[in-house]
Amino acid sequence: MTSPPPLDADALRARLVENGPYTALDVVTVTGSTNTDLVAAANSGAADRTVLVAEEQQAGRGRMRRSWVSPRHYGLHVSVLLRPVVAAHSALSWVPLLAGTALAETVRETTGLDAVLKWPNDLLLGHQRKAAGILADAVSTMDGMAVVLGMGVNVHHEPSDLPESAGGLPATSLAAEGVKVDRTELLATLLERLSRAEYQWRTGATDGVERGLLERYRALCSTLGMRVRVELGGSRVLEGTARDVDEHGRLVVRGRDGVRTPLSAGDVVHLRPAES
């Protein structure tokens, strides 16, 4: 099988740095984890809106300590360093949600696929198949609080290239769903949309409500209206119906006892649509 073409690093820098909103953008051939590398760069004083992209990632990290590995030129592995000035660290919980919104909207726009989000930010295609994940690392640096936002997207993988599951869901890719895309164009569009969403959040309201960001997220969140099991760590489990995503980005689950519980973290399993 012919390997997919590499990213056009010069075109990305011209569009996103020289004529765009980002400060710096590097594309490396291979690394362990773009998030790990950019966290180190943040501690060394790297600037706001620095971007690191890897053609191959060998030790990527996902939520709940899951690994993320992808062969060269097959996926998107990108991390963005953000240094927003916020009054409360809790406001940073909105960053991965707005990133999920930007990613789902980009995939819908560029591929026509019905991309949705499993709370907080797993990208699902087709019948609950996972095609991408997002991980945000908060970093306390000498220059203040920063967030390293990592996104990994399965692009050119055929079904035989994919693991059986990703975070408990069947894995998929854009190619496996029948869509071929130019990774350079997909990445540029994603980062442009992410920049606009993050700027709206940064300059509007840190709770994500202003300018419609919360409503955009809710419209894409397939978890809402589902019967769910939320694994909270250890042996703690909450089962109920996902009723809302609140102004802090928390998933509100109505338990069997009728009590509504807002959750800021947890591994969500979709069970079935809730009865009306």
Side-chain angles (χ1 to χ4, degrees):
M1 180 185 297
T2 303
S3 175
L7 292 165
D8 189 333
D10 291 337
L12 287 169
R13 277 190 286 269
R15 179 168 167 179
L16 297 169
V17 179
E18 297 168 19
N19 299 292
Y22 291 94
T23 303
L25 185 149
D26 287 324
V27 178
V28 299
T29 301
V30 61
T31 191
S33 162
T34 55
N35 258 38
T36 298
D37 294 348
L38 210 49
V39 166
N43 282 310
S44 298
D48 183 26
R49 295 189 175 94
T50 293
V51 180
L52 177 63
V53 187
E55 291 282 24
E56 178 182 350
Q57 186 165 254
Q58 297 182 335
R61 295 178 294 113
R63 294 180 63 251
M64 311 300 288
R65 300 183 180 273
R66 298 186 182 103
S67 62
W68 182 280
V69 180
S70 181
R72 192 169 302 178
H73 302 156
Y74 273 68
L76 291 182
H77 323 104
V78 55
S79 294
V80 181
L81 171 61
L82 301 169
R83 295 187 182 273
V85 178
V86 295
H89 291 175
S90 60
L92 298 176
S93 64
W94 251 100
V95 174
L97 274 70
L98 64 88
T101 301
L103 177 57
E105 290 177 344
T106 297
V107 170
R108 282 173 168 252
E109 174 188 322
T110 58
T111 70
L113 293 171
D114 185 23
V116 295
L117 297 169
K118 179 171 80 73
W119 185 88
N121 47 40
D122 284 342
L123 183 79
L124 306 184
L125 302 175
H127 299 286
Q128 302 291 301
R129 294 186 290 270
K130 182 176 175 179
I134 295 171
L135 177 68
D137 288 317
V139 190
S140 181
T141 75
M142 295 293 291
D143 299 313
M145 181 59 65
V147 178
V148 174
L149 180 66
M151 295 176 282
V153 186
N154 295 335
V155 180
H156 292 305
H157 306 69
E158 296 298 332
S160 59
D161 301 320
L162 295 163
E164 290 186 5
S165 68
L169 293 168
T172 192
S173 69
L174 302 184
E177 300 296 324
V179 176
K180 300 291 186 180
V181 297
D182 182 313
R183 284 189 310 137
T184 297
E185 178 63 27
L186 180 66
L187 178 57
T189 302
L190 170 59
L191 289 176
E192 287 171 342
R193 188 177 287 272
L194 173 64
S195 175
R196 292 194 296 271
E198 195 272 340
Y199 181 78
Q200 289 174 349
W201 168 80
R202 188 185 294 208
T203 60
T206 53
D207 61 12
V209 175
E210 288 292 328
R211 307 183 192 223
L213 287 175
L214 178 55
E215 290 309 314
R216 284 166 60 188
Y217 179 84
R218 284 172 173 157
L220 293 164
C221 185
S222 67
T223 303
L224 295 180
M226 295 288 289
R227 294 285 301 174
V228 297
R229 182 175 71 251
V230 187
E231 298 170 1
L232 301 171
S235 59
R236 295 183 302 150
V237 174
L238 173 64
E239 288 197 8
T241 301
R243 289 300 189 191
D244 195 14
V245 174
D246 70 13
E247 66 273 15
H248 303 294
R250 299 176 300 183
L251 183 67
V252 180
V253 177
R254 183 180 185 274
R256 293 174 176 174
D257 57 3
V259 175
R260 292 182 177 235
T261 303
L263 302 171
S264 57
D267 206 20
V268 175
V269 177
H270 289 181
L271 300 176
R272 63 184 183 278
E275 295 179 2
S276 301

